[in-house]
Amino acid sequence: MGVTKSEIFSPLQNELAGIAKVLGHPARIAILQEIIKSKSCICGDLVQEVGLAQPTISQHLKELKNIGLIKGDIEGTRVCYCINPEKWNQIKELFTTFLNSNISPGDECC
């Protein structure tokens, strides 16, 4: 397929695909799990917890922040991150609706 022709897909299809792409990296899932586990904002502990280099963690945080899934606050020389609950719930609803699409149990394939 080469070049993505996103304009031929619906806004919903593009949104789901964009979110899935960001969530498609295990490091980002690990980062989200650490933030969720902390039950508050997390500041700088991710390198030790996830086991990746700081620049790598920063790049993954940037991708998560770009889709609005996390938010960051600057505290002195550190940036503290937490889950954006509004976006989290929106993404949960989008994927729940998509994954709850009815498929008939009697539909045979192959």
Side-chain angles (χ1 to χ4, degrees):
M1 188 160 131
V3 178
T4 304
K5 296 185 177 184
S6 59
E7 67 276 355
I8 67 171
F9 301 106
S10 74
L12 177 60
Q13 290 167 333
N14 282 305
E15 183 177 15
L16 284 168
I19 294 166
K21 183 177 179 180
V22 171
L23 295 177
H25 197 294
R28 295 179 192 145
I29 299 299
I31 289 168
L32 289 170
Q33 288 174 324
E34 285 300 320
I35 295 172
I36 292 166
K37 188 170 80 174
S38 74
K39 296 185 180 181
S40 65
C41 288
I42 192 163
C43 306
D45 302 333
L46 289 169
V47 171
Q48 224 170 333
E49 295 296 328
V50 177
L52 296 172
Q54 181 61 54
T56 304
I57 295 284
S58 294
Q59 184 60 40
H60 289 302
L61 288 167
K62 178 182 171 191
E63 294 297 325
L64 292 167
K65 193 170 181 183
N66 283 345
I67 64 165
L69 196 49
I70 61 172
K71 15 184 206 183
D73 292 320
I74 299 171
E75 293 184 5
T77 59
R78 302 182 335 165
V79 179
C80 297
Y81 291 96
C82 62
I83 300 291
N84 178 347
E86 294 84 19
K87 188 66 174 183
W88 180 269
N89 289 327
Q90 178 191 9
I91 289 171
K92 187 163 59 169
E93 186 176 319
L94 282 171
F95 277 94
T96 299
T97 301
F98 173 66
L99 294 173
N100 281 340
S101 298
N102 289 327
I103 56 169
S104 300
D107 289 350
E108 289 297 320
C109 177
C110 308

